[in-house]
Amino acid sequence: MALIVHKYGGTSMGSTERIRNVAKRVAKWSRAGHQMVVVPSAMSGETNRLLGLAKELAPGRSDDDHNRELDMLAATGEQASSALLAIALQAEGVQAVSYAGWQVQVKTDSAFTKARIESIDDARVRGDLEAGKVVVITGFQGVDEAGNITTLGRGGSDTSAVAIAAAMKAHECLIYTDVDGVYTTDPRVEPDARRLSTVSFEEMLEMASLGSKVLQIRSVEFAGKYKVPLRVLSSFTPWDIDLQEEAKSGTLITFEEDENMEQAVVSGIAFNRDEAKISVLGVPDKPGIAYNILGAVADANVEVDVIIQNLSKDGRTDFSFTVHRNDYAKTVDLLKDKVLPTLGASDIVGDTKICKVSIVGIGMRSHVGVASKMFRVLSEEGINIQMISTSEIKTSVVIDEKYMELAVRALHKAFDLDQPAS
Amino acid sequence: MALIVHKYGGTSMGSTERIRNVAKRVAKWSRAGHQMVVVPSAMSGETNRLLGLAKELAPGRSDDDHNRELDMLAATGEQASSALLAIALQAEGVQAVSYAGWQVQVKTDSAFTKARIESIDDARVRGDLEAGKVVVITGFQGVDEAGNITTLGRGGSDTSAVAIAAAMKAHECLIYTDVDGVYTTDPRVEPDARRLSTVSFEEMLEMASLGSKVLQIRSVEFAGKYKVPLRVLSSFTPWDIDLQEEAKSGTLITFEEDENMEQAVVSGIAFNRDEAKISVLGVPDKPGIAYNILGAVADANVEVDVIIQNLSKDGRTDFSFTVHRNDYAKTVDLLKDKVLPTLGASDIVGDTKICKVSIVGIGMRSHVGVASKMFRVLSEEGINIQMISTSEIKTSVVIDEKYMELAVRALHKAFDLDQPAS
């Protein structure tokens, strides 16, 4: 008997039939003696429907007053699905009650449409759990100091579930989703990709930030900060499968290195096709280059990922970085208009046909030669590396987009990711 | 410059195009220098859609836990439309903010799905008004002492608007709806029916309770209790008609008798086809009959309207009353099973083909002979009166349903309601 948090995504809540299945699954856990807190997303499509109406009324607007109202509007989707789930649970003969974020004091800052959770007051929830009730709490939303409704941004229900699990010191937070766990790489690219039964928090963080969109990255950060055991598992298994089996399915994201973890040096191959490369050529090599170039980019609210400054030659250097493809044109224009004239650089060139491929593994901390093995494998396949970026548990390379599948498959095989864990 | 409350029904909020029209109308009032509070209903169809989902999940349920969740669910409709209206107002260049019931402390009791407003804390709203903002407040809902969301029942947005107008001592509460005011009778029955420019609160109360469904009856009670000047007017006039003209349109419901009111003795003819008559025949005439019969009916949660006890003859009497047609069969069965055997009555008979026609007028208080004129008019038309019920400002008769239109038209003409007010 433990306190368990379940989170169900919009697809799992997509119809009354599916909501009924969620209720049956939760009822099974409750009847097994667990104290259950459930965090559902809005029914799939609902948030888009609501925001679509707002867009019809005020296209292109995004000031603070407007965003406050968007949050007021979007928050209704989760409130409705939470009430529906409580109703479905009651119909299954389980006592249940639903709460909006403000009712259990999910306190956030006031950054409307992308607020951050600051605290949760769990007294009311504990009272209900003690009384034998299943507690449904709206995901995605909270309330600021002034009593305004806030939302956490897309995917925010994951973060809500983790924050609630952290505040309540839950035994485990189970994220039910439309994938059945975290894989060594995307199975659509490498059919031999294998589901990981455990993955470390740091690896998950790198994989999430590299485009493995299993979990919202902020939910993983939150889980890491508060050491919430987090499990990603499928909501499409039959609701009545054996509870012990279900409790061990999917992928567990762990925080303790001495746990019985898979001993592979590299846990997964991540990739990202959403970036573009920009190079500023012939920059006079003097202090302040990086700031002059990237300061202007940051002021335009463009996020920069990989950054490379070449060795200087004849007092001049080349400076390259990657941005999201959507920001590519805007960034090139900005540099040409504002930076090129004052910096005395010779030219701006760019390439949108690139991709980033990364090997991720907590074992890389204590193993030397992992990066060089990566470079060797790519060289053997005749793939030219354009940029390199490393961290403690990750090595990323930027390569020509057309080699992406080849690189992922070669690395997956070279690091034995197609073999069952020892 | 005054504090004005506008209330818009679901039809007026039925699409983004209509919401935009509401915003333009409110912006016109705001720009004319008025402090504006707006109470919108949910977009038409939305409440039914949400409650339909709940019904799929838990058909036929209505306990307290279930009703709490229904309120949580249904309240989202008004929250969404309020946010959308604030967004539309901002797009019109008007500063606007929306609040859910709990955010401005619309406190109610805990009777889920049919709660009653107890108080409203207007401090936050006043602050916004002083700062030049239009304030949108969700109708239909509030929050109970324990912080649960409650709803006021169908049509509750009218009551919300009146309660807010009362709490804020608004100059006037304007109820925009799909009819353009209160008529002397239903224009579908009597084409010569005339719109009343004013009607007294007591008359409105009688007309509402008699089936003139212009306003929710509780909102009229509320308006009477707190003397809120209430105007019913059309939301289908163009938004840009002259404000002075709009401010005088529709029907004003007044509370002060010395106002410049229309001097007609009878203000309107109301009718109701939803009732059925039940008679208990040959009841021994002894104390407690009414209680024995109606007590059992009340215990079954059936509301009784007109009640008649005939003169006793040979120690026996007949006892008749009307109930809603939906309760007719249930009530007859109940009486046959439980009351007939113990009461010693001879039979139960009933009639569902009846209707109730009423003349309503505050002038009846000070004029004699109004009721007898009604009876004479009906007699001249050959209409037999089955039951009579009177109050200070109303006389109702129960007649055969087939004479309803004839009775309404004859009375409308006899009391000069087709003539313009003097």
Side-chain angles (χ1 to χ4, degrees), chain B residues 4-8 22 25-26 29 36-40 161 172-176 246:
Chain B
I4 301 284
V5 175
H6 278 193
K7 184 261 166 178
Y8 292 91
V22 168
R25 193 184 295 275
V26 172
W29 281 75
M36 298 299 302
V37 175
V38 188
V39 180
E172 207 171 283
C173 178
L174 282 71
I175 310 279
Y176 287 85
E246 184 174 329

Side-chain angles (χ1 to χ4, degrees), chain A residues 282-294:
Chain A
V283 191
D285 189 8
K286 56 186 181 190
I289 298 172
Y291 172 72
N292 281 333
I293 296 172
L294 297 183

Side-chain angles (χ1 to χ4, degrees), chain A residues 79-80 83 87, chain B residues 42 46-48 50-51 67-80 113 139-141 149-151 154:
Chain A
Q79 185 174 321
I87 287 167
Chain B
E46 184 62 8
T47 308
N48 283 339
L50 291 166
L51 296 180
N67 288 342
R68 180 196 180 278
E69 300 304 325
L70 286 186
D71 280 1
M72 189 85 177
L73 178 66
T76 63
E78 274 73 17
Q79 185 174 322
T113 76
F140 179 61
Q141 65 186 272
I149 292 176
T150 55
T151 70
R154 282 301 166 108

Side-chain angles (χ1 to χ4, degrees), chain A residues 15-16 19-20 43 80-81 83-91, chain B residues 46-62 66-74:
Chain A
S15 65
T16 49
I19 292 173
R20 201 176 284 123
M43 294 175 79
S81 69
L84 287 169
L85 181 54
I87 287 167
L89 281 162
Q90 291 169 355
Chain B
E46 184 62 8
T47 308
N48 283 339
R49 183 183 74 85
L50 291 166
L51 296 180
L53 293 171
K55 207 165 187 176
E56 281 178 40
L57 290 168
R61 213 175 159 106
S62 74
H66 177 76
N67 288 342
R68 180 196 180 278
E69 300 304 325
L70 286 186
D71 280 1
M72 189 85 177
L73 178 66

Side-chain angles (χ1 to χ4, degrees), chain A residues 202-320:
Chain A
E202 292 93 338
E203 289 168 327
M204 189 63 207
L205 211 51
E206 290 289 3
M207 295 209 208
S209 68
L210 288 166
S212 297
K213 302 232 174 59
V214 177
L215 286 176
Q216 198 206 21
I217 189 161
R218 274 167 56 192
S219 73
V220 181
E221 288 170 5
F222 224 100
K225 189 166 168 193
Y226 296 101
K227 306 243 181 299
V228 178
L230 199 61
R231 184 178 294 275
V232 177
L233 68 175
S234 170
S235 67
F236 294 127
T237 55
W239 68 266
D240 55 354
I241 65 164
D242 179 65
L243 191 142
Q244 296 308 321
E245 189 186 324
E246 183 174 328
K248 284 186 185 127
S249 67
T251 299
L252 179 67
I253 298 157
T254 59
F255 304 92
E256 285 143 49
E257 298 207 24
D258 56 356
E259 257 187 77
N260 184 22
M261 285 181 51
E262 294 178 42
Q263 290 305 308
V265 175
V266 171
S267 294
I269 315 291
F271 55 86
N272 184 345
R273 261 179 288 213
D274 294 334
E275 295 190 15
K277 184 175 74 166
I278 296 173
S279 298
V280 187
L281 306 180
V283 191
D285 189 8
K286 56 186 181 190
I289 298 172
Y291 172 72
N292 281 333
I293 296 172
L294 297 183
V297 174
D299 287 347
N301 244 329
V302 172
E303 249 180 280
V304 168
D305 184 20
V306 184
I307 303 167
I308 302 287
Q309 183 171 343
N310 282 5
L311 280 179
S312 173
K313 190 178 162 190
D314 303 333
R316 292 196 169 251
T317 184
D318 300 334
F319 190 91
S320 300

